[in-house]
C-alpha cells in the first residue's frame, strides 16, 4: 500500500519568504509527527498530532513555525519569514494510534529545505 | 520530556564481525516502547527492531538483537555478521504512553570490507 508521502521533495527559497510543507500520512493512521533533521544530525521533534489536535507542540522552534492537520489526514508545516538556520530536511511520520504506543512510526522521504 | 542518549557518534566494524551500538534513556514512565531505526544515505527511515518495556525477553530480528536493561535504562543494539548494507545512521527512539516519540542523536556505522 501507499506509504507516507511528502511534498515537495526539495524546496529552495529566499530568506524571508514563507514556505509550506505537506505530508500525506498512511490511510487510517491517526497519529502524525513532524521532525527536523539538520545535515548529519539527529531527529529534532517539532510537533505531534493525535487526530486533528496537537497535544504536544513543545518542539516548534519559534512562532515562525506552525502546523495544522485537517480531516485526520493531510498535514502542513508552515515556516514564515524563513531564515538560513531553517535549512534542513523535514521528516513526517505517521502511526496507528489505535495500536497503542506499540505501533512504530512510518516515515516519508522528507522535504529538503534550502534557504538562500 | 523523555531524553534519549546515544554516546557513540561513529562506529566501525569489519564485515562479518559483530558490533554493538549503545543507547540510554531517561523516563519516569513504567511502560513504554523502544525502537531502533536505520537511515541509509537515501534518508528513508527504516524500522530495525522494537522492544516493549514490560517484556523481559530481548527482541531479536534475524541478525539484529537488543540488550534491554530496564533498571539501567539501557537499550543497546547488536548487529551480528555485519554486512556492507548495514552501513547507515542508526537512531534509538523512545515512545511513551502519550504516543510521543523521541530520538537520540544517532550513531553513524561504517562497515569495512
Amino acid at each position: 500500500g501507499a506509504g507516507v508521502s511528502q511534498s515537495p521533495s526539495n524546496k529552495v527559497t529566499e530568506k524571508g519568504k514563507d514556505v509550506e510543507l505537506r505530508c500525506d500520512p498512511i490511510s487510517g493512521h491517526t497519529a502524525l509527527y513532524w521532525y527536523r533533521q539538520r545535515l548529519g544530525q539527529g531527529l529534532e521533534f517539532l510537533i505531534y498530532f493525535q487526530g486533528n489536535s496537537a497535544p504536544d507542540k513543545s518542539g516548534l522552534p519559534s512562532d515562525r513555525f506552525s502546523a495544522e492537520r485537517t480531516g485526520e489526514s493531510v498535514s502542513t508545516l508552515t515556516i514564515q519569514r524563513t531564515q538560513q538556520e531553517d535549512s534542513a530536511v523535514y521528516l513526517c511520520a505517521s502511526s496507528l494510534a489505535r495500536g497503542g504506543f506499540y505501533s512504530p512510526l512510518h516515515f516519508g522521504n522528507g522535504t529538503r529545505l534550502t534557504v538562500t | 520530556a523523555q531524553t534519549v542518549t546515544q554516546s557513540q557518534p561513529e562506529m566501525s566494524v569489519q564485515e562479518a564481525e559483530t558490533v554493538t551500538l549503545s543507547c540510554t534513556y531517561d523516563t519516569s514512565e513504567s511502560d513504554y516502547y523502544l525502537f531502533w531505526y536505520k537511515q541509509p544515505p537515501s534518508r528513508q527511515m527504516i524500522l530495525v527492531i522494537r522492544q516493549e518495556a514490560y517484556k523481559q525477553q530481548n527482541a531479536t530480528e534475524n541478525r539484529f538483537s537488543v540488550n534491554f536493561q530496564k533498571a539501567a535504562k539501557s537499550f543497546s543494539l547488536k548487529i551480528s555478521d555485519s554486512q556492507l548494507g548495514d552501513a547507515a545512521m542508526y537512531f534509538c527512539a523512545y515512545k511513551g504512553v502519550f504516543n510521543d516519540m523521541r530520538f537520540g542523536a544517532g550513531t553513524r556505522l561504517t562497515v569495512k570490507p
Side-chain angles (χ1 to χ4, degrees):
Chain A
V4 177
S5 176
Q6 290 188 247
S7 60
S9 55
N10 285 284
K11 175 73 177 179
V12 180
T13 190
E14 291 180 353
K15 178 181 173 181
K17 300 282 190 183
D18 297 352
V19 295
E20 272 193 4
L21 311 181
R22 177 186 169 106
C23 174
D24 281 272
I26 293 172
S27 178
H29 281 195
T30 57
L32 187 146
Y33 306 75
W34 283 99
Y35 294 89
R36 178 169 70 180
Q37 186 176 28
R38 292 198 167 104
L39 185 63
Q41 297 189 18
L43 276 68
E44 177 186 358
F45 172 80
L46 297 179
I47 190 169
Y48 153 61
F49 286 93
Q50 180 59 55
N52 294 337
S53 65
D56 191 349
K57 302 180 183 179
S58 62
L60 294 176
S62 73
D63 59 7
R64 296 187 296 106
F65 287 72
S66 63
E68 64 177 23
R69 188 180 185 197
T70 56
E72 291 197 350
S73 58
V74 173
S75 175
T76 55
L77 176 68
T78 302
I79 309 173
Q80 296 178 310
R81 305 181 302 281
T82 52
Q83 304 293 315
Q84 289 184 332
E85 70 211 40
D86 300 333
S87 296
V89 174
Y90 290 82
L91 289 165
C92 175
S94 68
S95 77
L96 276 171
R98 282 192 304 279
F101 50 106
Y102 174 78
S103 299
L105 269 58
H106 299 263
F107 283 83
N109 286 331
T111 294
R112 181 180 297 281
L113 175 66
T114 304
V115 182
T116 61
Chain B
Q2 289 74 21
T3 57
V4 180
T5 302
Q6 293 179 250
S7 58
Q8 306 155 315
E10 296 184 358
M11 292 283 284
S12 67
V13 63
Q14 204 70 35
E15 193 176 5
E17 298 291 307
T18 296
V19 65
T20 299
L21 308 183
S22 302
C23 173
T24 59
Y25 57 94
D26 183 31
T27 185
S28 58
E29 297 176 331
S30 59
D31 200 13
Y32 46 86
Y33 268 88
L34 298 163
F35 301 82
W36 279 97
Y37 278 85
K38 167 184 176 181
Q39 188 181 44
S42 66
R43 87 178 181 225
Q44 177 65 47
M45 293 285 282
I46 302 165
L47 176 67
V48 175
I49 198 165
R50 58 185 156 180
Q51 171 84 40
E52 183 179 8
Y54 264 111
K55 289 190 176 178
Q56 294 185 345
Q57 185 174 6
N58 289 324
T60 299
E61 289 285 345
N62 300 314
R63 297 182 295 106
F64 299 87
S65 62
V66 300
N67 183 5
F68 173 49
Q69 302 290 327
K70 190 173 184 180
K73 297 180 182 174
S74 170
F75 182 61
S76 60
L77 174 69
K78 185 171 83 171
I79 306 174
S80 304
D81 185 25
S82 297
Q83 301 176 358
L84 295 177
D86 295 334
M89 283 289 288
Y90 285 82
F91 293 99
C92 177
Y94 172 103
K95 195 178 191 195
V97 294
F98 297 109
N99 267 333
D100 56 322
M101 184 91 149
R102 307 292 168 139
F103 287 81
T107 296
R108 182 176 301 282
L109 179 66
T110 303
V111 181
K112 298 178 180 177

